[in-house]
Amino acid sequence: MRQGTKLVSVQIPSMDKAHELIGRIDQSGGIPLILLPARSSFAFYMSVPEGFYALNYESGKLKGVIKPGFHILSPLNKVQYLVSKQWTVFDSPVDTCTTKDHVSVDIDCIVVFRIRADGAETFVTKSSPSSLQMLMSDKIKESVRILARKKELVDIYSLSGNNEHVTGEMLLDLQNTFHEYGIEVKSVTITQVAIPVEHSKRLEDISWFTTREEDQKVSTEFQILESELKKEIAEKRESLRNERLYQENRLNVARTNKEKDVARIQQETKSELAQTEARTTSQVMNIKEQQDKVTSEFQYNRERKVAEIQSDMKAALEELYIGSSKFVKETAQETDVAVRKMRAEVDQTTTQQKAEMASATRERLAAAKFKEEELKAKALTLEAEVEKKISNMMTSKREYDLMIKQLQVMKSVVNNQQFLVMGESGTASKDHNIPYHGPSIVYETNILQEKVDHLQVWVSFKHLRMQSTLFKGVLNIYE
């Protein structure tokens, strides 16, 4: 009969040797679960190693668990137990387990457990490693025999492994049983099931037939699955083909709709371009008509102003000529009367009187000469003023000539057949034979009246120039 795991307590000379023993099998073949360290009675300090629950006693009375590390304590304190925190693997073989069909089998079971942090004091006071070994071994044997009793020989191998459906109830039972001792049970695993030799051959035959039946069953299931899979593939293929045809149909419909939309947009664009071109042509024609109208009005006004100026100038010349002739005639008559009068007086007076008359005549002639010089000076002053006005008028004439040239440039732009017309929408007119000059032509027509005013000033300058010439002629006649 094979022995299971042995749990023991081991004495150590000091806590420094704890890590050398824990987790290893000692000389007696047991696993140390509790270490009993010795301590000098006169030591005032101690060092508790990691991985243990250190139970501190003072004067033989339990005071609690000391945390790992260095501690300064009185000589009355002593760590009497070092309880391991490690998980312990407890192997418990169970022999002669009777199955449901009354066959004895051997079962090997392993239980993994550890002592809880809050159960170290409970474990030390209520139990010991040897009593825990005995109690756990008995409990495991009982639970395993109950499991084996529920199975027939052909199913006994189903107990092997860490199967929660098989060992779950057993694990819960062990946890409830050892919880009061401060033990935490983690898992239960049945590692081996051994049956008698005389039953092995029968089980092998049963297993062979069972395996063959299972193979046939699996083969049948595979064929059924393969048939279903082929059917599913065919249906999926047909579905994909239908989906592809549906998508192609949708694509064709979308392409047709798109082509219709493109054709409609092109037609709308052509219509809008035609309308824009028609509006642009109409606007250009209207502007051209306005330009022609303004030009004809300007020419008419210019001819009318020129006719009026010529008429006024002619009337002024006639008036000046009449006035000058009258002035010359009256002056000649007065001079002739005065000469005749002086000659009559000279003939009637004596020599003295003639001398006096000659002196008076000379005085009168001197006065007349002075008056003549004064008139000449005024004439020169008037001529200077006229020349000054003429200079200013020449400036106006040059401005007028410049405006005439600008007007000629505008006319040449209007008559340019290669000039590009731009409509309101920014599109170019295709009819290059229609001149268009944009909004600036309206502005140019608005200042034509100002140009007419400059023309009138220039004609006035001509009028004054002619008056000055006539006046000089009158002075020459007077002289």
Side-chain angles (χ1 to χ4, degrees), residues 378-394 460-472:
K378 289 182 179 180
L380 291 174
T381 302
L382 181 59
E383 184 178 2
E385 292 178 357
V386 171
E387 291 293 337
K388 182 177 180 182
K389 291 181 180 179
I390 289 172
S391 176
N392 294 331
M393 293 177 184
M394 286 298 292
S460 298
F461 151 72
K462 290 290 186 178
H463 184 198
L464 291 175
R465 184 74 176 270
M466 293 176 66
Q467 286 181 350
S468 175
T469 304
L470 291 174
F471 184 74
K472 287 182 180 180

Side-chain angles (χ1 to χ4, degrees), residues 419-466:
F419 190 73
L420 183 62
V421 176
M422 298 299 293
E424 292 180 351
S425 61
T427 58
S429 174
K430 296 181 180 179
D431 189 0
H432 295 283
N433 296 323
I434 300 175
Y436 177 73
H437 305 288
S440 62
I441 190 66
V442 179
Y443 173 76
E444 295 295 339
T445 56
N446 290 334
I447 64 170
L448 289 177
Q449 187 62 37
E450 296 180 5
K451 297 180 180 180
V452 173
D453 296 338
H454 286 290
L455 180 61
Q456 185 177 1
V457 171
W458 181 74
V459 174
S460 298
F461 151 72
K462 290 290 186 178
H463 184 198
L464 291 175
R465 184 74 176 270
M466 293 176 66

Side-chain angles (χ1 to χ4, degrees), residues 341-370:
K341 186 177 181 180
M342 284 189 294
R343 285 178 180 176
E345 290 178 356
V346 169
D347 292 339
Q348 294 176 6
T349 57
T350 60
T351 304
Q352 185 177 0
Q353 291 176 344
K354 290 181 179 179
E356 291 177 357
M357 290 178 65
S359 176
T361 300
R362 283 194 298 271
E363 290 178 357
R364 289 181 181 179
L365 289 174
K369 189 67 175 178
F370 177 76

Side-chain angles (χ1 to χ4, degrees), residues 56-63 75-81:
N56 180 30
Y57 285 79
E58 183 178 357
S59 300
K61 185 178 180 180
L62 179 63
K63 302 297 291 182
L76 299 177
N77 289 276
K78 178 183 178 183
V79 175
Q80 191 168 344
Y81 300 100

Side-chain angles (χ1 to χ4, degrees), residues 20 30 38-39 49 59 62 72 83 86 131 136-137 140 143 152 155 185 285 312 317 326 334 351 447:
E20 297 179 2
R39 180 172 181 256
S59 300
L62 179 63
I72 297 177
V83 182
Q86 293 182 351
S131 61
M136 184 169 290
S137 179
I140 291 173
S143 299
E152 293 183 355
D155 298 328
V185 180
M285 295 301 296
D312 294 341
L317 288 175
K326 186 178 180 181
E334 290 178 359
T351 304
I447 64 170

